[in-house]
Amino acid sequence: MNNKNNKDNNLSNKSSLIKVALLGFGTIGSGVYTLLENQSKLISERLYSATGRNISLEIAKVLVLPDEYPEQLPQEIRVTDYDQILNDDSIEIVVELMGGLEPATKFMNQAMERGKHVVTANKYAIFTAQGALEEKADLTDVHLRYEAAVAGAIPILRSITEGLIGDEVEEVVGILNGSTNYILTEVKKGKSLEQALEEARQNGYLEADPSADLEGYDAMHKLGILGYLITGNYPAEREIERAGITGISPQDIEQAKQNGQAIKLVARATKTETGKFTYSVRPEALAEDHPLFHTEGVLNTIQIKCKYAQELAFTGYGAGSLETATAVTGDIVSIARDLHIC
Ligand code: HSE
């Protein structure tokens, strides 16, 4: 059984190999594979600086579908049966990048029950579990990290839970879905909805079920996770007012443009006078002087209003392979570091 801060692990041995398994080798999975490979020297150097140990990370197994043979993936680490990962005690970190609710949730629970640490980018599963996955991590004494679940490359979860730990967040306003922002931007430039949607698909920005993006569910899941980090409780789905972009026509976008506005899918969490937060995801026509007006394409922006730090804004890639992979890699490396800090 892993100890969460495994101080006794190899204390006499100053070298450690941490084995990682990826579940899924799609847009993000292949990005994580590339990033860990390209950055392995730098990551080991940083882990050495942080812990005084030679720590290397190895992707030991990758779970793919039976008919999936990604060119980049060496045959010897390709597996199609999750039990081969679950039953391998040498694998310490499971990285769930399959997306969707099931079997992803079951796989994460099973990994934690076996004492494996879990990293995921799965906002749908994290939000839907409403705290049960975090609870499982506590009970099984493992790390569960999901920085990539919200706003792709932007380290927004760490900023809230670490950077702002001594402050109080009073409002979050953001563009949290990259694909719909890409579509709205491209249609504003003159492309058809169909063409913009197809480009978003080809770039790997869309969920497996694109209605999650188009109907605002994906942004709702991300907003719910932010709500949890801010308040300590997940808002229920019924507490989040939600509308997507399917009701917007190219004519609406053109009309807004003529008025000097841009239509954006805006997510808001706002503290009311009673101290309770209200939540919404809906399209809004923003004027040019609005801070989110200039967030174009697949970029996300998150503005945070705090009691003491006042206003902060974060902009960065909200989707994309290597961009999102940086957040997943950050979680993997920080777990490796925390396991070896004495
Ligand atoms: N479909 C998501 C988006 C991917 O468009 O933002 C990143 O979470």
Side-chain angles (χ1 to χ4, degrees):
M1 175 61 201
N2 277 310
N3 184 328
K4 202 171 198 169
N5 288 309
N6 201 349
K7 294 176 187 162
D8 297 329
N9 189 13
N10 290 333
L11 261 190
S12 56
N13 179 358
K14 293 258 178 203
S15 291
S16 294
L17 175 67
I18 297 185
K19 291 196 183 180
V20 176
L22 302 185
L23 313 186
F25 204 74
T27 304
I28 313 178
S30 58
V32 171
Y33 185 84
T34 303
L35 203 63
L36 282 178
E37 207 171 55
N38 291 357
Q39 300 293 83
S40 73
K41 189 166 171 285
L42 182 81
I43 289 170
S44 287
E45 282 166 8
R46 292 199 170 145
L47 284 170
Y48 184 80
S49 301
T51 66
R53 285 157 193 260
N54 291 311
I55 300 170
S56 41
L57 294 163
E58 178 195 318
I59 297 185
K61 286 183 179 153
V62 178
L63 181 71
V64 295
L65 296 170
D67 60 352
E68 206 185 344
Y69 292 90
E71 225 173 84
Q72 198 190 353
L73 192 60
Q75 184 63 26
E76 59 276 16
I77 63 170
R78 175 186 178 275
V79 300
T80 55
D81 177 3
Y82 183 48
D83 282 346
Q84 287 186 39
I85 290 169
L86 213 48
N87 295 331
D88 183 342
D89 289 337
S90 73
I91 290 173
E92 289 189 72
I93 305 177
V94 168
V95 183
E96 186 282 305
L97 301 169
M98 308 158 68
L101 215 46
E102 292 299 352
T105 307
K106 183 175 89 182
F107 286 0
M108 287 192 274
N109 274 306
Q110 288 176 325
M112 291 191 280
E113 283 156 13
R114 298 288 181 102
K116 299 182 192 302
H117 308 282
V118 170
V119 174
T120 182
N122 194 329
K123 53 267 162 141
Y124 185 20
I126 292 286
F127 174 77
T128 305
Q130 294 272 304
L133 285 162
E134 289 89 341
E135 213 171 290
K136 176 61 68 70
D138 276 349
L139 284 172
T140 53
D141 206 16
V142 299
H143 294 289
L144 167 68
R145 294 194 182 159
Y146 45 85
E147 181 64 69
V150 182
I154 305 174
I156 191 63
L157 305 191
R158 268 196 191 83
S159 299
I160 292 174
T161 56
E162 294 181 21
L164 297 170
I165 195 167
D167 204 338
E168 286 171 52
V169 174
E170 296 180 331
E171 188 174 50
V172 175
V173 182
I175 293 172
L176 300 180
N177 183 268
S179 50
T180 49
N181 203 54
Y182 179 87
I183 292 166
L184 292 170
T185 304
E186 293 303 310
V187 172
K188 189 179 168 200
K189 285 185 196 160
K191 283 187 187 150
S192 69
L193 268 173
E194 294 71 24
Q195 193 184 347
L197 181 68
E198 184 49 31
E199 284 177 9
R201 188 195 313 277
Q202 278 174 12
N203 291 336
Y205 300 155
L206 287 165
E207 297 304 301
D209 172 4
S211 67
D213 297 297
L214 303 176
E215 302 285 0
Y217 288 103
D218 179 77
M220 178 191 78
H221 298 147
K222 293 165 175 167
L223 184 67
I225 293 172
L226 292 176
Y228 165 68
L229 297 181
I230 293 164
T231 67
N233 291 302
Y234 278 94
E237 186 167 336
R238 64 172 186 285
E239 292 175 74
I240 307 177
E241 183 195 324
R242 178 194 50 80
I245 65 162
T246 48
I248 301 169
S249 66
Q251 292 71 34
D252 296 331
I253 295 170
E254 182 55 29
Q255 185 60 56
K257 189 176 163 184
Q258 300 299 326
N259 297 339
Q261 297 172 317
I263 299 180
K264 304 281 183 192
L265 187 62
V266 179
R268 291 178 186 272
T270 311
K271 194 174 183 176
T272 61
E273 279 176 6
T274 64
K276 221 176 136 24
F277 274 76
T278 58
Y279 297 91
S280 65
V281 172
R282 60 178 170 235
E284 294 184 22
L286 306 178
E288 200 175 343
D289 60 357
H290 192 285
L292 300 181
F293 179 92
H294 298 285
T295 298
E296 300 226 295
V298 73
L299 291 175
N300 284 185
T301 290
I302 303 170
Q303 277 193 290
I304 301 185
K305 251 184 230 158
C306 298
K307 192 166 174 182
Y308 299 100
Q310 311 231 24
E311 290 192 19
L312 306 164
F314 302 79
T315 296
Y317 284 92
S321 177
L322 288 170
E323 295 86 347
T324 309
T326 62
V328 176
T329 302
D331 281 347
I332 298 169
V333 176
S334 69
I335 290 176
R337 178 199 61 205
D338 292 350
L339 291 177
H340 290 276
I341 284 179
C342 293

